[in-house]
PDB file of all heavy atoms in Angstrom:
ATOM      1  N   ASP B 306     122.800  80.879  99.031  1.00  0.00           N
ATOM      2  CA  ASP B 306     123.048  80.907  97.609  1.00  0.00           C
ATOM      3  C   ASP B 306     122.149  79.895  96.919  1.00  0.00           C
ATOM      4  O   ASP B 306     121.488  79.071  97.504  1.00  0.00           O
ATOM      5  CB  ASP B 306     124.445  80.471  97.282  1.00  0.00           C
ATOM      6  CG  ASP B 306     124.945  80.992  95.900  1.00  0.00           C
ATOM      7  OD1 ASP B 306     124.248  81.597  95.127  1.00  0.00           O
ATOM      8  OD2 ASP B 306     126.128  80.656  95.595  1.00  0.00           O
ATOM      9  N   PHE B 307     122.027  80.034  95.533  1.00  0.00           N
ATOM     10  CA  PHE B 307     121.210  79.083  94.697  1.00  0.00           C
ATOM     11  C   PHE B 307     121.881  77.762  94.610  1.00  0.00           C
ATOM     12  O   PHE B 307     123.086  77.695  94.633  1.00  0.00           O
ATOM     13  CB  PHE B 307     120.886  79.716  93.370  1.00  0.00           C
ATOM     14  CG  PHE B 307     120.137  80.982  93.432  1.00  0.00           C
ATOM     15  CD1 PHE B 307     120.678  82.121  93.031  1.00  0.00           C
ATOM     16  CD2 PHE B 307     118.803  81.004  93.898  1.00  0.00           C
ATOM     17  CE1 PHE B 307     120.035  83.384  92.957  1.00  0.00           C
ATOM     18  CE2 PHE B 307     118.128  82.208  93.938  1.00  0.00           C
ATOM     19  CZ  PHE B 307     118.757  83.456  93.508  1.00  0.00           C
ATOM     20  N   GLY B 308     121.136  76.825  94.479  1.00  0.00           N
ATOM     21  CA  GLY B 308     121.693  75.450  94.220  1.00  0.00           C
ATOM     22  C   GLY B 308     122.085  75.178  92.807  1.00  0.00           C
ATOM     23  O   GLY B 308     122.851  74.223  92.507  1.00  0.00           O
ATOM     24  N   ASP B 309     121.626  75.938  91.902  1.00  0.00           N
ATOM     25  CA  ASP B 309     121.927  75.842  90.412  1.00  0.00           C
ATOM     26  C   ASP B 309     122.488  77.199  89.896  1.00  0.00           C
ATOM     27  O   ASP B 309     122.329  78.200  90.492  1.00  0.00           O
ATOM     28  CB  ASP B 309     120.702  75.418  89.650  1.00  0.00           C
ATOM     29  CG  ASP B 309     119.564  76.537  89.608  1.00  0.00           C
ATOM     30  OD1 ASP B 309     119.518  77.223  90.553  1.00  0.00           O
ATOM     31  OD2 ASP B 309     118.946  76.677  88.544  1.00  0.00           O
ATOM     32  N   GLU B 310     122.948  76.977  88.684  1.00  0.00           N
ATOM     33  CA  GLU B 310     123.599  78.159  88.043  1.00  0.00           C
ATOM     34  C   GLU B 310     122.659  79.210  87.719  1.00  0.00           C
ATOM     35  O   GLU B 310     123.001  80.351  87.790  1.00  0.00           O
ATOM     36  CB  GLU B 310     124.275  77.687  86.734  1.00  0.00           C
ATOM     37  CG  GLU B 310     125.318  78.479  86.147  1.00  0.00           C
ATOM     38  CD  GLU B 310     125.861  77.918  84.862  1.00  0.00           C
ATOM     39  OE1 GLU B 310     126.467  76.807  85.010  1.00  0.00           O
ATOM     40  OE2 GLU B 310     125.774  78.489  83.828  1.00  0.00           O
ATOM     41  N   SER B 311     121.395  78.942  87.288  1.00  0.00           N
ATOM     42  CA  SER B 311     120.543  79.853  86.765  1.00  0.00           C
ATOM     43  C   SER B 311     119.598  80.405  87.882  1.00  0.00           C
ATOM     44  O   SER B 311     118.878  81.399  87.623  1.00  0.00           O
ATOM     45  CB  SER B 311     119.491  79.110  85.767  1.00  0.00           C
ATOM     46  OG  SER B 311     120.159  78.310  84.921  1.00  0.00           O
ATOM     47  N   GLY B 312     119.828  79.981  89.187  1.00  0.00           N
ATOM     48  CA  GLY B 312     118.915  80.553  90.211  1.00  0.00           C
ATOM     49  C   GLY B 312     117.423  80.083  90.205  1.00  0.00           C
ATOM     50  O   GLY B 312     116.674  80.918  90.641  1.00  0.00           O
ATOM     51  N   TYR B 313     117.160  78.970  89.685  1.00  0.00           N
ATOM     52  CA  TYR B 313     115.832  78.413  89.621  1.00  0.00           C
ATOM     53  C   TYR B 313     115.426  77.858  91.050  1.00  0.00           C
ATOM     54  O   TYR B 313     114.281  77.773  91.363  1.00  0.00           O
ATOM     55  CB  TYR B 313     115.602  77.249  88.656  1.00  0.00           C
ATOM     56  CG  TYR B 313     115.517  77.693  87.131  1.00  0.00           C
ATOM     57  CD1 TYR B 313     115.989  78.936  86.783  1.00  0.00           C
ATOM     58  CD2 TYR B 313     115.042  76.785  86.195  1.00  0.00           C
ATOM     59  CE1 TYR B 313     115.847  79.341  85.380  1.00  0.00           C
ATOM     60  CE2 TYR B 313     114.841  77.118  84.851  1.00  0.00           C
ATOM     61  CZ  TYR B 313     115.304  78.407  84.452  1.00  0.00           C
ATOM     62  OH  TYR B 313     115.225  78.798  83.153  1.00  0.00           O
ATOM     63  N   THR B 314     116.389  77.340  91.742  1.00  0.00           N
ATOM     64  CA  THR B 314     116.206  76.677  93.036  1.00  0.00           C
ATOM     65  C   THR B 314     115.911  77.644  94.108  1.00  0.00           C
ATOM     66  O   THR B 314     116.401  78.764  94.037  1.00  0.00           O
ATOM     67  CB  THR B 314     117.344  75.649  93.329  1.00  0.00           C
ATOM     68  OG1 THR B 314     118.516  76.547  93.794  1.00  0.00           O
ATOM     69  CG2 THR B 314     117.701  74.908  92.132  1.00  0.00           C
ATOM     70  N   PRO B 315     115.492  77.164  95.275  1.00  0.00           N
ATOM     71  CA  PRO B 315     115.470  78.058  96.590  1.00  0.00           C
ATOM     72  C   PRO B 315     117.038  78.270  96.911  1.00  0.00           C
ATOM     73  O   PRO B 315     117.851  77.633  96.468  1.00  0.00           O
ATOM     74  CB  PRO B 315     114.833  77.074  97.567  1.00  0.00           C
ATOM     75  CG  PRO B 315     114.034  76.059  96.829  1.00  0.00           C
ATOM     76  CD  PRO B 315     114.761  75.931  95.427  1.00  0.00           C
ATOM     77  N   MET B 316     116.979  79.340  97.733  1.00  0.00           N
ATOM     78  CA  MET B 316     118.353  79.757  98.216  1.00  0.00           C
ATOM     79  C   MET B 316     118.580  78.763  99.447  1.00  0.00           C
ATOM     80  O   MET B 316     117.725  78.645 100.372  1.00  0.00           O
ATOM     81  CB  MET B 316     118.397  81.198  98.721  1.00  0.00           C
ATOM     82  CG  MET B 316     118.412  82.043  97.390  1.00  0.00           C
ATOM     83  SD  MET B 316     118.358  83.755  97.959  1.00  0.00           S
ATOM     84  CE  MET B 316     116.714  84.037  98.367  1.00  0.00           C
ATOM     85  N   MET B 317     119.815  78.258  99.617  1.00  0.00           N
ATOM     86  CA  MET B 317     120.218  77.472 100.740  1.00  0.00           C
ATOM     87  C   MET B 317     121.372  78.001 101.471  1.00  0.00           C
ATOM     88  O   MET B 317     122.306  78.616 100.800  1.00  0.00           O
ATOM     89  CB  MET B 317     120.471  75.967 100.294  1.00  0.00           C
ATOM     90  CG  MET B 317     119.272  75.357  99.565  1.00  0.00           C
ATOM     91  SD  MET B 317     119.717  73.679  98.972  1.00  0.00           S
ATOM     92  CE  MET B 317     120.774  74.100  97.471  1.00  0.00           C
ATOM     93  N   LEU B 318     121.292  77.846 102.861  1.00  0.00           N
ATOM     94  CA  LEU B 318     122.488  78.336 103.507  1.00  0.00           C
ATOM     95  C   LEU B 318     123.577  77.184 103.528  1.00  0.00           C
ATOM     96  O   LEU B 318     123.411  76.178 104.051  1.00  0.00           O
ATOM     97  CB  LEU B 318     122.027  78.643 105.014  1.00  0.00           C
ATOM     98  CG  LEU B 318     123.198  79.208 105.938  1.00  0.00           C
ATOM     99  CD1 LEU B 318     123.813  80.503 105.407  1.00  0.00           C
ATOM    100  CD2 LEU B 318     122.646  79.317 107.388  1.00  0.00           C
ATOM    101  N   MET B 319     124.694  77.612 102.880  1.00  0.00           N
ATOM    102  CA  MET B 319     125.764  76.626 102.552  1.00  0.00           C
ATOM    103  C   MET B 319     127.106  77.264 102.408  1.00  0.00           C
ATOM    104  O   MET B 319     127.178  78.491 102.100  1.00  0.00           O
ATOM    105  CB  MET B 319     125.337  75.666 101.481  1.00  0.00           C
ATOM    106  CG  MET B 319     125.152  76.399 100.192  1.00  0.00           C
ATOM    107  SD  MET B 319     124.628  75.272  98.832  1.00  0.00           S
ATOM    108  CE  MET B 319     124.454  76.394  97.514  1.00  0.00           C
ATOM    109  N   TYR B 320     128.108  76.498 102.348  1.00  0.00           N
ATOM    110  CA  TYR B 320     129.480  77.001 101.807  1.00  0.00           C
ATOM    111  C   TYR B 320     129.313  76.945 100.380  1.00  0.00           C
ATOM    112  O   TYR B 320     128.891  75.980  99.716  1.00  0.00           O
ATOM    113  CB  TYR B 320     130.578  76.080 102.398  1.00  0.00           C
ATOM    114  CG  TYR B 320     130.908  76.386 103.694  1.00  0.00           C
ATOM    115  CD1 TYR B 320     130.359  75.777 104.733  1.00  0.00           C
ATOM    116  CD2 TYR B 320     131.829  77.304 103.991  1.00  0.00           C
ATOM    117  CE1 TYR B 320     130.579  76.180 106.111  1.00  0.00           C
ATOM    118  CE2 TYR B 320     132.277  77.795 105.336  1.00  0.00           C
ATOM    119  CZ  TYR B 320     131.632  77.089 106.443  1.00  0.00           C
ATOM    120  OH  TYR B 320     131.889  77.471 107.679  1.00  0.00           O
ATOM    121  N   THR B 321     129.714  77.997  99.748  1.00  0.00           N
ATOM    122  CA  THR B 321     129.614  78.178  98.220  1.00  0.00           C
ATOM    123  C   THR B 321     130.729  78.997  97.699  1.00  0.00           C
ATOM    124  O   THR B 321     131.229  79.791  98.345  1.00  0.00           O
ATOM    125  CB  THR B 321     128.266  78.824  97.941  1.00  0.00           C
ATOM    126  OG1 THR B 321     128.132  78.963  96.505  1.00  0.00           O
ATOM    127  CG2 THR B 321     128.116  80.215  98.631  1.00  0.00           C
ATOM    128  N   LEU B 322     131.059  78.645  96.448  1.00  0.00           N
ATOM    129  CA  LEU B 322     132.034  79.378  95.730  1.00  0.00           C
ATOM    130  C   LEU B 322     131.280  80.389  94.772  1.00  0.00           C
ATOM    131  O   LEU B 322     131.944  80.939  93.819  1.00  0.00           O
ATOM    132  CB  LEU B 322     132.902  78.451  94.952  1.00  0.00           C
ATOM    133  CG  LEU B 322     133.784  77.527  95.793  1.00  0.00           C
ATOM    134  CD1 LEU B 322     134.424  76.506  95.013  1.00  0.00           C
ATOM    135  CD2 LEU B 322     134.909  78.374  96.534  1.00  0.00           C
ATOM    136  N   GLY B 323     129.969  80.533  95.000  1.00  0.00           N
ATOM    137  CA  GLY B 323     129.168  81.264  94.046  1.00  0.00           C
ATOM    138  C   GLY B 323     128.490  80.454  93.065  1.00  0.00           C
ATOM    139  O   GLY B 323     129.180  79.532  92.329  1.00  0.00           O
ATOM    140  N   HIS B 324     127.202  80.662  92.844  1.00  0.00           N
ATOM    141  CA  HIS B 324     126.446  79.654  92.080  1.00  0.00           C
ATOM    142  C   HIS B 324     126.772  79.890  90.524  1.00  0.00           C
ATOM    143  O   HIS B 324     126.500  79.020  89.613  1.00  0.00           O
ATOM    144  CB  HIS B 324     124.965  79.999  92.054  1.00  0.00           C
ATOM    145  CG  HIS B 324     124.471  81.417  91.629  1.00  0.00           C
ATOM    146  ND1 HIS B 324     124.552  82.359  92.596  1.00  0.00           N
ATOM    147  CD2 HIS B 324     124.005  81.862  90.539  1.00  0.00           C
ATOM    148  CE1 HIS B 324     124.186  83.570  92.036  1.00  0.00           C
ATOM    149  NE2 HIS B 324     123.831  83.279  90.825  1.00  0.00           N
TER     150      HIS B 324
END
Side-chain angles (χ1 to χ4, degrees):
Chain B
D306 198 1
F307 298 116
D309 67 326
E310 195 180 300
S311 317
Y313 283 17
T314 71
M316 292 178 282
M317 297 178 287
L318 182 57
M319 61 182 176
Y320 282 87
T321 176
L322 297 166
H324 60 278

